[in-house]
């Protein structure tokens, strides 16, 4: 692994991309935990107005990420879309220091904060297009390393954000976040644009483009004709090759059809995770009678544990069966929610954070690259779909968490989240069963 780090550092654009990603993570870790607090304490929003505001910001982020991803895929200008989204974030968070009226905040949230959220997916799209890496394993290790930097920012970011908030108020906090976004944009401007959207090698089963498929089919037919004309008795071999190609194309088409099911599973995982992020601090303090220090310890422990897991998964990604690992992560998620509903002491929640950390590490490292592998030539769209799955979950999580807790309590909410995780496990297990069935049939044919 040390050799891989050295090779990454030597790769053109990786160091500035790493710094840009870290600054982006710091800015997000400063703002995400305190945006709702700003709405209540500084803008005097009621719970209903706050819920509407947060939902509109999330919905704007989903829409903006989708539009930007489609444009960047068509034009191949991933760096331009990254810079534009970062500038939108700069203007949005700078505006929060001066705009306090509800209508004005909604406009800022929808027009600037939502589009600014697209920077999170675009930085990974640009990384995959810009980094000249030929080895598949090294390519996924680079993606995992960048994702790890985001988690590293969340280890210390919320605590530093709280310190800035206590000393400089919300205006200072959001001003510091805007400066971090601006620094990210400045670094991105110094890097070169690339229109090579498929520079990284594809790992796993992917759907070939029509042009590539036609070229490969023509080359295959030509090669088969040569063999047939020159080698007596080669008809059976030719038929076998045609059968293999047909099976490969059918497998790729089947994998492509699995994308909506994978996205639904990731949305359910994101919905449960976001609902827990809302409920966990309240559960620790109000139900288990813990302190805010316990909340910080739980969140910080989870973020810290994600780092070594992501690095390991990134190093081994090309050797792992991603559908199996994603299905396992959903099962781990279900176990975590059942355990949360069963604990009776606040400190017992801290060691449990290894379970959601495992889920985040697997879905972040393997889920994103799995979708990118299934959508070659559409890196922006694949990355945006991955992050939007979580954003759609965040849109629904507030309503889910508030309604269930108000009616049935915290334990019922956690058990419902466990049910969502089980549904995700079933959806992801279909890919595992299908892949195992194909390997079994292939073994029977070889035998």
């Amino acid at each position: 692994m040390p050799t891989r780090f050295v090779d990454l550092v030597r790769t053109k654009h990786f160091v500035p991309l790493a710094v840009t990603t870290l600054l982006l993570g710091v800015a997000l870790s400063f703002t995400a935990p305190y945006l709702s607090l700003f709405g209540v304490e500084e803008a005097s929003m009621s719970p209903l107005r706050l819920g509407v505001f947060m939902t509109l910001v999330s919905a704007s982020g989903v829409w903006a990420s989708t539009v930007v991803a489609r444009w960047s895929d068509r034009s191949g200008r991933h760096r331009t879309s990254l810079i534009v989204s970062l500038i939108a974030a700069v203007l949005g968070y700078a505006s929060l220091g001066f705009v306090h009226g509800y209508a004005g905040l909604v406009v800022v949230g929808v027009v600037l904060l939502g589009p600014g959220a697209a920077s999170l997916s675009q930085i990974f799209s640009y990384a995959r297009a810009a980094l000249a890496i030929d080895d598949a394993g090294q390519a996924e290790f680079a993606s995992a390393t960048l994702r790890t930097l985001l988690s590293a920012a969340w280890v210390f970011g919320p605590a530093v954000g709280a310190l800035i908030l206590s000393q400089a108020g919300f205006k200072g906090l959001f001003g510091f976040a805007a400066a971090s976004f601006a620094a990210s944009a400045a670094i991105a401007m110094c890097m070169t644009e690339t229109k090579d959207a498929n520079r990284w090698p594809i790992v796993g089963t992917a759907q070939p483009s029509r042009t590539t498929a036609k070229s490969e089919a023509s080359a295959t037919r030509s090669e088969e004709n040569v063999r047939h004309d020159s080698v007596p008795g080669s008809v059976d071999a030719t038929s076998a090759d045609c059968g293999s190609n047909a099976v490969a194309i059918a497998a790729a088409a089947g994998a492509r059809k699995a994308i909506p099911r994978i996205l639904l599973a990731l949305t359910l995982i994101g919905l449960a995770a976001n609902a827990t992020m809302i409920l966990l601090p309240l559960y620790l303090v109000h139900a288990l009678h813990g302190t805010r220090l316990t909340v910080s310890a739980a969140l910080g422990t989870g973020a810290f544990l994600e780092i070594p897991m992501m690095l390991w998964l990134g190093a081994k990604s090309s050797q792992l069966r991603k559908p199996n690992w994603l299905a396992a992560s959903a099962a781990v998620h279900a176990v975590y929610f059942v355990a949360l509903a069963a604990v009776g002491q606040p400190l017992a929640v801290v060691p449990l954070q290894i379970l959601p950390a495992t889920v985040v590490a697997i879905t972040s490292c393997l889920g994103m690259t799995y979708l990118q592998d299934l959508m070659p030539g559409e890196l922006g769209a694949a990355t945006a779909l991955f992050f939007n799955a979580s954003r759609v979950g965040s849109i629904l999580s507030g309503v889910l968490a508030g309604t269930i807790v108000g009616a049935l309590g915290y334990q019922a909410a956690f058990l419902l989240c466990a049910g969502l995780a089980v549904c995700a496990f079933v959806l992801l297990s279909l890919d595992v069963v299908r892949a195992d069935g194909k390997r079994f049939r292939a073994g029977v044919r070889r035998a």
Side-chain angles (χ1 to χ4, degrees), residues 266-286:
L266 292 174
T267 300
L268 293 176
I269 292 174
L271 171 57
N274 281 287
T276 306
M277 282 296 295
I278 295 173
L279 295 177
L280 187 61
L282 301 175
Y283 181 58
L284 283 170
V285 175
H286 295 163

Side-chain angles (χ1 to χ4, degrees), residues 30-41 45 50 53-54 57 93 96 105 109 113 170 173-174:
F30 281 2
T31 56
Y34 304 109
L35 188 58
S36 59
L37 189 63
F38 166 79
V40 172
E41 294 185 357
M45 295 183 189
L50 176 63
F53 173 73
M54 299 297 287
V57 172
Y93 284 103
L96 292 183
L105 287 173
L113 297 185
F170 286 104
L173 178 68
F174 292 136

